[in-house]
């Protein structure tokens, strides 16, 4: 009886904290339509700030709580909404998800900047661990009682706010009909900002309360993912009902506690299942909940992508292979493997271009499919012993086939899901793989055969050998990965230009219209999920082989989210976006940070500056991801449009190419350092369209655009300049009205000419 009461109290306490965090999620989603994936990171930052105030600076606990809950928490939410969230209107679901994911990653890196992860930190319970009361023989601490009371009070308060007050009605109306709210004298922006401030406060409160219960140790990644468990409770209430959210949170907490208390001791995987239970519940809840009807009309978003022809894709594929080979000639041997790793990440990112960029389906855990392929190839695709071990082509093909099958199995129950629900389902799958599969290092026996899934916590993956082609050579591996990416990229573009790709685009734009025209959406979704999973599996195997030995951390959900974020930033609708996102996620920012750290060691007098620049480089991917709301089509789209206009100014284009060729020759001969060559080349590539507009504006922009930029904007005619016939003409032209350009007035005759004319008269 005592055991039952103890674990029941533990479950109620955990469930109460989940309910507090989930209530903040429901609140922000109901007033902005944005699901905040950074909710757990906000809780983490709040917990670290509370530790800094109490343990670091010695402030009294009540004063620290006032600062964290009534100052830092609201300001954090208010800043997020005003600076970022309100700019996400008219963007696709993937853009909204990526922006909040970027905020989460930025907060993680920011916490590691200010609070070094290797230094231990812990939080104690309010009033101490020994202060409490006895309930049915079980000891209940005051901190745990406060958690339950706070959760009940917040649930009741939010329920009354939404259902019984005018403010709650206006908060619900912010998403439903903001224009109607304005007509009734309300400010939707102010209401949404207030909701985000309150939701952030609830996240911070959850972070402060749950840390002592979970062990007291402060670790950024663990605490962020711990609060993410509240996603399941929020979805139990379908992001709208506070009472159902509260009940779902309690069920989650009790189920986890009872699993720890009553699972058989022979279950070696009980601890892993306990950690994975919220994600399992999230997946089940998403499948069981009724879904919205198919979207009928195409949503007008700001994303725009141009799909190249197959011929252009082949030309660019050949150019990519040639460019990578030329870059290889400049590299030292140690850098080749690093570059290879980036190319394998690009292959994984290519699966997102097909699935999300072309078909509009979400996958937040692409590297989880790479992990599954790695496990398969480790057990069934290695031949030889010792240093002669090699991957076999049949083992790789088997791993790709199994991954495609797993992708189909994951997609099968999720075929009803769309948008945010599908994103959460794939995230639940990714966290489940990380917690259950990649942590399973124990030995099992099945039909008399002993095996372990992730032997010893790491897997050694040798290079591939196909006949005379042995990828043990670094250059051979790099060029093989590049050729594979180029071939897959051409294949993806060819697929998009065929009937199958047009059906994917139609399903992305309007699922209801596609179904009405006879398209089988189930078959279409299942096939594209399987193709995407197969590509991710191949990239995962090559990534593991390039690394040599991989652990579970190589495939965790944070790495997958970073890859997705950078691919969207580059342009998820472009193969080149996958290339940029993969290379930057795999090696780009890591190389930059390592370079700054090395500079700090070699130049102690500038150590502070280099460490600062290294920390900025660590946070910069998240800052770039946050900015995707202002450029939702991605940086590749912006560059494509810039160079498309630059084709009319070929002297500038040829001049830029000549300068890059000269820099390459100087780097190849050792006159110019490799880092200077890379920095100057990247600068030229990005600035060349701007230089073209500056040097040849008429050719790049066109006469009309040049004239428009030189003249007063139409809306300022009559304000910054007086009304004239020319001004009226420009206004009529902008409004689409019939307009005739006014004829210039004849010049006034000079005095002598006027005198002569009068004499003749």
């Amino acid at each position: 009886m005592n055991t039952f009461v103890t674990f029941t109290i533990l479950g109620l306490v955990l469930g109460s904290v989940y309910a507090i965090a989930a209530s903040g999620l429901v609140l922000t989603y109901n007033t902005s339509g944005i699901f905040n994936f950074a909710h757990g990171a906000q809780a983490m930052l709040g917990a670290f700030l509370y530790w800094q105030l109490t343990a670091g600076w010695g402030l009294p606990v009540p004063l620290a709580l006032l600062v964290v809950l009534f100052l830092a928490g609201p300001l954090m939410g208010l800043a997020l909404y005003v600076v970022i969230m309100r700019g996400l209107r008219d963007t696709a679901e993937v853009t909204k998800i990526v922006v909040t994911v970027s905020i989460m990653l930025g907060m993680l890196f920011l916490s590691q900047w200010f609070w070094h992860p290797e230094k231990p930190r812990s939080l104690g319970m309010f009033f101490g661990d020994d202060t409490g009361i006895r309930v049915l023989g079980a000891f209940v601490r005051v901190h745990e009682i406060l958690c339950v009371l706070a959760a009940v009070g917040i649930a009741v308060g939010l329920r009354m706010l939404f259902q019984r007050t005018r403010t709650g009605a206006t908060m619900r109306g912010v998403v439903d009909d903001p224009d109607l709210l304005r007509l009734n004298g309300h400010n939707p922006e102010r209401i949404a900002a207030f909701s985000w401030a309150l939701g952030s406060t609830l996240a911070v409160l959850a972070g402060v309360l749950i840390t002592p219960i979970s062990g007291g140790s402060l670790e950024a990644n663990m605490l962020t993912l711990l609060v993410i468990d509240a996603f399941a409770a929020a979805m139990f209430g379908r992001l709208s009902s506070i009472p159902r959210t509260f009940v779902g949170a309690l069920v989650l907490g009790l189920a986890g506690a009872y699993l720890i208390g009553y699972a058989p001791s022979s279950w070696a995987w009980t601890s892993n299942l306990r950690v994975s239970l919220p994600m399992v519940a999230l997946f089940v809840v998403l499948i069981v909940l009724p879904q919205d009807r198919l979207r009928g009309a195409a949503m007008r978003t700001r994303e725009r992508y141009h799909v190249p022809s197959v011929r252009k894709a082949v030309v660019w594929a050949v150019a990519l292979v040639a460019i990578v080979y030329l870059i290889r000639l400049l590299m030292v041997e140690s850098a080749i493997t690093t570059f290879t790793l980036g190319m394998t990440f690009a292959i994984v990112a290519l699966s997102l271009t097909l699935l999300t960029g072309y078909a509009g389906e979400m996958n937040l855990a692409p590297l989880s499919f790479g992990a599954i392929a790695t496990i398969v190839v480790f057990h069934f695709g290695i031949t030889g012993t010792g240093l002669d071990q090699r991957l076999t082509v049949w083992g790789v093909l088997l791993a790709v086939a199994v991954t495609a099958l797993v992708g189909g199995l994951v997609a099968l129950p999720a075929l009803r899901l769309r948008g945010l629900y599908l994103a959460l389902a794939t995230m639940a799958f990714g966290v489940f793989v990380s917690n259950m599969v990649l942590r399973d290092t124990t030995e099992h026996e099945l039909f008399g055969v002993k095996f372990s899934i992730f032997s010893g916590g790491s897997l050694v993956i040798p290079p591939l050998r196909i006949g005379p082609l042995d990828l043990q050579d670094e250059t051979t591996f790099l060029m093989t990965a590049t050729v594979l990416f180029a071939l897959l990229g051409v294949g993806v573009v060819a697929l998009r230009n065929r009937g199958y790709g047009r059906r994917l685009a139609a399903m992305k734009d309007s699922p209801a219209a596609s179904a009405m025209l006879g398209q089988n959406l189930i078959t279409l979704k299942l096939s594209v999920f399987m193709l995407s999973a197969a590509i991710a599996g191949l990239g995962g195997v090559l990534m593991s082989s390039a690394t040599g030995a991989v652990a579970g951390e190589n495939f965790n959900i944070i790495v997958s989210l970073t890859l997705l974020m950078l691919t969207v930033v580059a342009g998820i609708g472009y193969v080149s976006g996958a290339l940029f996102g993969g290379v930057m996620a795999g090696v780009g920012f890591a190389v930059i940070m390592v370079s700054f750290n090395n500079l700090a060691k070699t130049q102690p007098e500038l150590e502070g500056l280099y460490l600062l620049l290294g920390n900025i480089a660590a946070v910069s991917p998240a800052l770039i991801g946050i900015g995707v709301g202002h450029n939702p089509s991605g940086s590749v789209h912006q560059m494509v449009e810039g160079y498309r206009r630059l084709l009319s100014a070929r002297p500038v284009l040829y001049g830029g190419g000549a300068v890059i060729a000269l820099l390459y020759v100087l780097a190849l001969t050792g006159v110019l350092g490799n880092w200077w060559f890379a920095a100057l080349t990247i600068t030229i590539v990005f600035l060349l369209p701007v230089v073209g507009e500056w040097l040849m504006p008429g050719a790049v922009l066109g006469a009309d655009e040049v004239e428009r930029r030189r003249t007063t904007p139409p809306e300022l005619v009559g304000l910054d300049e007086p009304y004239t016939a020319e001004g009226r003409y420009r206004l009529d032209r902008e409004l689409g009205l019939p307009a005739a350009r006014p004829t210039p007035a004849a010049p006034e005759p000079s005095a002598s000419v006027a005198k002569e004319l009068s004499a003749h008269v």
Side-chain angles (χ1 to χ4, degrees):
M1 181 63 181
N2 189 30
T3 302
F4 175 77
V5 173
T6 300
F7 284 106
T8 299
I9 292 173
L10 175 62
L12 290 175
V13 172
L14 285 174
S16 298
V17 179
Y18 289 157
I20 294 172
S23 298
L25 274 172
V26 172
L27 181 63
T28 54
Y29 184 81
N30 270 292
T31 52
S32 65
I34 299 172
F35 188 87
N36 186 15
F37 282 85
H39 200 69
Q42 290 176 259
M44 176 270 301
L45 275 185
F48 271 97
L49 179 59
Y50 174 73
W51 176 90
Q52 185 66 47
L53 294 174
T54 54
W57 294 340
L59 265 67
V61 169
L63 180 59
L65 284 175
L66 286 175
V67 172
V68 171
L69 295 181
F70 296 101
L71 183 62
L75 286 179
M76 192 190 319
L78 186 65
L80 285 179
Y81 180 78
V82 172
V83 177
I84 301 170
M85 299 304 171
R86 68 176 180 178
L88 296 182
R89 293 190 180 92
D90 303 325
T91 58
E93 194 71 46
V94 64
T95 303
K96 296 176 182 177
I97 290 173
V98 163
V99 169
T100 56
V101 166
S102 303
I103 295 170
M104 180 189 75
L105 296 174
M107 289 180 173
L108 280 173
F109 296 139
L110 194 65
S111 70
Q112 295 171 2
W113 183 350
F114 289 103
W115 297 283
H116 199 280
E118 295 181 1
K119 180 180 178 180
R121 299 175 183 85
S122 61
L123 285 179
M125 293 189 176
F126 296 153
F127 303 103
D129 296 348
D130 300 327
T131 305
I133 59 175
R134 289 280 176 183
V135 177
L136 299 177
F139 184 72
V140 184
R141 299 172 180 85
V142 174
H143 183 97
E144 296 170 336
I145 297 174
L146 291 176
C147 290
V148 177
L149 293 177
V152 173
I154 289 170
V156 173
L158 289 178
R159 172 69 175 178
M160 294 181 65
L161 174 67
F162 278 126
Q163 301 297 329
R164 302 290 180 88
T165 66
R166 185 178 180 86
T167 302
T170 57
M171 290 170 70
R172 296 197 309 273
V174 170
V175 175
D176 295 338
D177 198 335
D179 293 331
L180 184 60
L181 277 181
R182 290 189 182 93
L183 291 175
N184 282 275
H186 297 285
N187 188 337
E189 301 292 348
R190 187 179 302 167
I191 296 169
F194 168 75
S195 301
W196 274 81
L198 183 55
S200 177
T201 301
L202 294 178
V204 170
L205 176 61
V208 172
L209 291 177
I210 201 172
T211 302
I213 298 171
S214 61
S217 178
L218 281 171
E219 201 280 319
N221 286 352
M222 184 180 300
L223 183 55
T224 299
L225 293 176
L226 189 63
V227 178
I228 283 179
D229 291 346
F231 287 5
M235 293 310 301
F236 192 91
R238 213 182 178 192
L239 293 173
S240 59
S241 171
I242 294 294
R244 287 203 303 267
T245 298
F246 184 79
V247 172
L250 293 184
V251 170
L252 277 177
L254 289 171
Y258 291 150
L259 182 64
I260 295 175
Y262 294 102
S265 57
S266 59
W267 290 4
W269 39 267
T270 300
S271 177
N272 294 341
L273 180 59
R274 158 67 187 88
V275 177
S276 306
L277 189 61
M279 290 298 105
V280 175
L282 174 60
F283 193 87
V284 172
V285 167
L286 288 169
I287 300 303
V288 172
L289 279 179
Q291 301 299 309
D292 297 330
R293 294 180 178 179
L294 288 178
R295 176 166 45 86
M299 296 178 62
R300 299 301 300 169
T301 61
R302 291 186 277 127
E303 287 79 1
R304 298 291 182 269
Y305 301 117
H306 298 294
V307 181
S309 64
V310 178
R311 179 178 298 179
K312 287 184 178 179
V314 171
V315 172
W316 282 111
V318 174
L320 173 65
V321 175
I323 291 171
V324 170
Y325 181 75
L326 292 176
I327 294 175
R328 155 64 191 97
L329 298 179
L330 299 177
M331 288 182 176
V332 296
E333 295 296 328
S334 59
I336 299 175
T337 300
T338 304
F339 195 11
T340 304
L341 187 63
M343 291 305 303
T344 60
F345 265 86
I347 294 175
V348 179
L350 196 59
S351 69
L352 297 174
T353 298
L354 174 63
L355 183 66
T356 305
Y358 291 168
E361 303 297 320
M362 300 294 298
N363 179 15
L364 300 190
L367 283 174
S368 297
F369 294 101
I372 292 171
T374 298
I375 293 172
V376 172
V377 83
F378 173 79
H379 288 288
F380 303 104
I382 297 178
T383 184
T385 57
L387 296 177
D388 293 328
Q389 280 191 336
R390 294 290 185 274
L391 289 182
T392 64
V393 63
W394 297 111
V396 174
L397 292 176
L398 176 63
V400 171
V402 170
T403 308
L405 181 62
V406 172
L409 292 175
V410 172
L412 197 58
L415 288 176
R416 303 167 55 245
L417 305 179
R418 291 177 297 278
L420 173 63
Y421 285 2
L422 182 58
L424 288 171
T426 55
M427 182 179 182
F429 166 74
V431 176
F432 175 81
V433 170
S434 296
N435 291 337
M436 280 295 295
V437 179
L438 303 185
R439 289 185 180 182
D440 188 1
T441 59
T442 58
E443 191 176 69
H444 306 280
E445 184 173 351
L446 183 64
F447 302 119
V449 179
K450 294 183 179 180
F451 68 95
S452 59
I453 297 177
F454 215 80
S455 304
S458 64
L459 303 180
V460 177
I461 308 297
L464 175 67
R465 180 164 56 197
I466 309 174
L469 183 66
D470 192 348
L471 301 191
Q472 188 174 24
D473 179 73
E474 290 87 351
T475 301
T476 304
F477 202 159
L478 171 62
M479 297 312 301
T480 301
T482 304
V483 170
L484 278 174
F485 176 85
L487 292 175
L488 288 171
V490 172
V492 166
V493 171
L495 204 65
R496 174 61 182 83
N497 283 284
R498 296 180 66 86
Y500 180 80
R502 287 190 286 272
R503 290 196 295 272
L504 291 180
M507 179 179 68
K508 176 183 179 180
D509 290 339
S510 179
S514 298
M516 186 177 64
L517 292 173
Q519 301 295 332
N520 189 331
L521 298 188
I522 293 179
T523 303
L524 205 56
K525 278 189 177 183
L526 193 60
S527 62
V528 74
F529 258 99
M530 294 180 70
L531 283 173
S532 174
I535 296 173
L538 176 61
V541 169
L542 295 175
M543 183 268 285
S544 301
S545 180
T547 306
V550 290
E553 289 74 17
N554 295 98
F555 305 101
N556 68 27
I557 193 65
I558 300 298
V559 182
S560 288
L561 293 175
T562 304
L563 178 62
L564 172 67
M565 177 195 73
L566 290 173
T567 305
V568 172
V569 166
I572 201 166
Y574 293 100
V575 171
S576 50
L579 175 65
F580 175 86
V583 171
M584 295 308 293
V587 297
F589 292 103
V591 169
I592 294 173
M593 287 185 289
V594 169
S595 300
F596 281 124
N597 289 334
N598 291 337
L599 287 172
K601 293 178 181 178
T602 56
Q603 301 183 32
E605 66 278 6
L606 298 176
E607 180 180 4
L609 174 62
Y610 287 130
L611 291 178
L612 173 64
L613 294 175
N615 287 321
I616 293 175
V619 180
S620 58
L623 298 178
I624 296 172
I626 292 170
V628 77
H630 301 287
N631 183 25
S633 298
S635 57
V636 169
H637 176 84
Q638 193 172 3
M639 287 190 62
V640 167
E641 291 301 311
Y643 276 90
R644 191 188 301 275
R645 294 193 301 266
L646 201 60
L647 290 175
S648 301
R650 294 186 184 275
V652 177
L653 194 62
Y654 295 154
V659 172
I660 292 175
L662 176 62
L663 293 175
Y664 179 80
V665 172
L666 293 177
L668 191 62
T669 55
V671 177
L672 187 69
N674 290 346
W675 281 108
W676 278 108
F677 166 74
L680 292 173
T681 301
I682 292 172
T683 302
I684 291 172
V685 169
F686 278 96
L687 292 183
L688 200 59
V690 179
V691 174
E693 291 184 12
W694 176 55
L695 294 178
M696 303 179 66
V700 175
L701 299 175
D704 290 341
E705 179 66 17
V706 172
E707 179 67 20
R708 188 188 67 80
R709 293 190 179 189
R710 287 178 178 174
T711 56
T712 304
E715 63 270 16
L716 297 181
V717 172
L719 297 176
D720 287 2
E721 68 175 31
Y723 279 114
T724 61
E726 180 66 26
R728 287 193 294 271
Y729 164 73
R730 288 194 291 112
L731 285 175
D732 290 341
R733 189 179 61 179
E734 290 290 337
L735 294 172
L737 300 175
R741 182 178 289 277
T743 56
E748 293 289 337
S750 63
S752 59
V753 174
K755 184 177 181 180
E756 184 178 351
L757 288 173
S758 62
H760 282 290
V761 172

